[in-house]
Amino acid sequence: MGRILRGLAGGGDLRVVAAETTDVVEEARLRHGLSPTATAALGRAMTGALLLAQLLLKTPKERITLRVEGTGPLGGILVEADPQGNVRGYVKNPEAEVPLREDGKLNVGELVGAGVLRVDRSLPNGEVYTSTVPLVSGEIAEDLAHYLWQSEQIPSAVLLGVRVKGEGEVEVAGGVAVQVMPGAKEEVLGRLEANLKDLPGLTPLLRERGLEGALEALLAGLGFERTDLRALGYLQNEIPARFRCRCNREKALEALVFFTPEEREEMIVKDGGAEVVCHWCGEVYRFSPEEVRSLVAEVRCPDCGALWLYPKGDGTLARIEGETCRCGRKVELPSESRPQA
């Protein structure tokens, strides 16, 4: 399990969030069968999402989603995180790989390619706020700092690192985000810039000195003070960070209703049932012929075939949202089939 620290530096002029995510990124690598450079790309994005969730989200029920849409062989990255330290994510082409850079480091920028970063903030009331910015380098850290400045007007430094070893297993992973507060003193900014310039890189610091040691080097002379998180229920004074998906067997079974009854019957004939794989975490759910055939009561649009009404795995009914189908037809359901509000 990873961990997240929060605090202030520079007499309150700097807000700091730091995360140690070695175990989190290693679990993602194993779940998705990632190549070394894909591991670094997804690991940086997952760590960055955890940092942004602490900086931008205000309530436990909010979530942040990062979509890195690049032209490189990776095909794209999708990551979701919340303020409780839960994160999940995947890449489109997990086995994609490119040669190392001239300095011997993993070439995440080339694997990602040119493109855009889209950030969705999901609020408890269901509203979603989306911001899109061009990718600066595809190396993720610079792209997140660019997003914070362009879309949130938050001047920040973002450092992310993932180091792999052996057959690709994660040796160390983590990140730090430093937000400059309004009215920050020039001497504080000057010291932070000098520290960043002299920093050998986040990954070697994490490897040699750990998360606290990396913060000590980055914030030398700035008086870092950790936020006391025990009042929020975190007895270890840090927020646990973990790879956690929101999928379950019921949701996986519900996904099968988007196939026609004929397609579901073909699954039974060919495979003896059905198999659903979660894109987010790679979990495999298998269903018997009886479970697949239980999904028979459904109502579809007579014009485009879109699903309007279907039974969920717990026996309740799920209904299309809104009164209009995607094709424009008014949704009309049998009154006896309407689910209770």
Side-chain angles (χ1 to χ4, degrees):
M1 184 178 293
R3 58 200 182 101
I4 301 170
L5 311 180
R6 299 194 330 215
L8 297 173
D13 286 347
L14 304 174
R15 183 184 178 196
V16 183
V17 180
E20 192 278 306
T21 57
T22 304
D23 292 343
V24 179
V25 179
E26 174 64 6
E27 181 169 351
R29 181 187 77 86
L30 294 173
R31 282 182 173 273
H32 296 303
L34 300 170
S35 71
T37 309
T39 298
L42 181 58
R44 292 181 190 178
M46 293 173 64
T47 305
L50 287 169
L51 298 178
L52 261 60
Q54 298 299 317
L55 290 175
L56 302 179
L57 304 185
K58 296 178 171 44
T59 68
K61 293 185 178 181
E62 296 180 45
R63 294 192 303 275
I64 194 162
T65 303
L66 306 184
R67 303 173 189 268
V68 179
E69 302 170 356
T71 58
L74 189 63
I77 307 171
L78 187 59
V79 172
E80 179 189 82
D82 65 29
Q84 286 73 50
N86 301 311
V87 64
R88 60 178 183 167
Y90 66 94
V91 299
K92 186 173 182 181
N93 299 315
E95 298 179 0
E97 189 57 281
V98 293
L100 297 175
R101 299 185 335 196
E102 291 184 0
D103 59 5
K105 296 182 179 181
L106 297 173
N107 198 340
V108 173
E110 183 177 337
L111 191 71
V112 171
V116 298
L117 166 66
R118 194 173 89 186
V119 180
D120 296 336
R121 296 169 61 183
S122 303
L123 305 184
N125 62 5
E127 294 184 23
V128 178
Y129 290 92
T130 301
S131 298
T132 303
V133 296
L135 290 174
V136 175
S137 66
E139 296 284 342
I140 311 300
E142 295 175 73
D143 304 303
L144 293 182
H146 179 65
Y147 156 76
L148 288 169
W149 173 243
Q150 291 293 319
S151 295
E152 305 292 336
Q153 288 75 55
I154 300 175
S156 307
V158 179
L159 296 86
L160 302 169
V162 176
R163 180 184 174 89
V164 300
K165 63 179 181 179
E167 298 299 317
E169 60 267 31
V170 179
E171 181 179 6
V172 67
V176 180
V178 181
Q179 174 187 347
V180 178
M181 305 301 287
K185 296 181 286 293
E186 288 297 328
E187 54 267 32
V188 170
L189 298 181
R191 183 58 188 261
L192 176 61
E193 291 175 358
N195 290 351
L196 287 168
K197 183 178 180 181
D198 295 336
L199 210 66
L202 181 64
T203 306
L205 278 175
L206 290 172
R207 185 187 181 198
E208 296 167 12
R209 301 178 57 179
L211 187 59
E212 284 81 0
L215 285 172
E216 183 179 346
L218 174 61
L219 302 172
L222 293 170
F224 176 61
E225 297 180 3
R226 284 180 62 174
T227 300
D228 189 350
L229 299 172
R230 288 170 291 190
L232 300 177
Y234 299 107
L235 300 182
Q236 301 299 318
N237 200 25
E238 56 191 28
I239 301 171
R242 61 185 73 83
F243 189 110
R244 175 172 290 178
C245 189
R246 294 188 288 113
C247 73
N248 56 43
R249 186 172 179 80
E250 178 186 339
K251 290 179 180 179
L253 181 61
E254 290 175 13
L256 292 174
V257 302
F258 292 96
F259 294 90
T260 65
E262 293 76 16
E263 289 172 328
R264 295 199 296 268
E265 191 62 31
E266 184 178 353
M267 296 176 191
I268 294 173
V269 173
K270 291 179 60 178
D271 304 318
E275 181 178 282
V276 177
V277 181
C278 177
H279 286 299
W280 286 101
C281 67
E283 192 72 26
V284 179
Y285 297 93
R286 295 181 175 86
F287 300 99
S288 67
E290 292 75 22
E291 289 174 302
V292 177
R293 288 183 176 128
S294 71
L295 301 171
V296 294
E298 60 186 33
V299 178
R300 292 179 178 270
C301 175
D303 290 342
C304 71
L307 202 60
W308 284 356
L309 184 75
Y310 60 92
K312 298 172 67 176
D314 59 5
T316 62
L317 292 175
R319 183 191 187 282
I320 184 177
E321 295 183 3
E323 300 296 328
T324 305
C325 183
R326 64 189 182 190
C327 67
R329 183 187 178 100
K330 182 181 178 181
V331 175
E332 297 176 332
L333 298 174
S335 58
E336 66 271 16
S337 299
R338 287 182 181 272
Q340 297 297 313

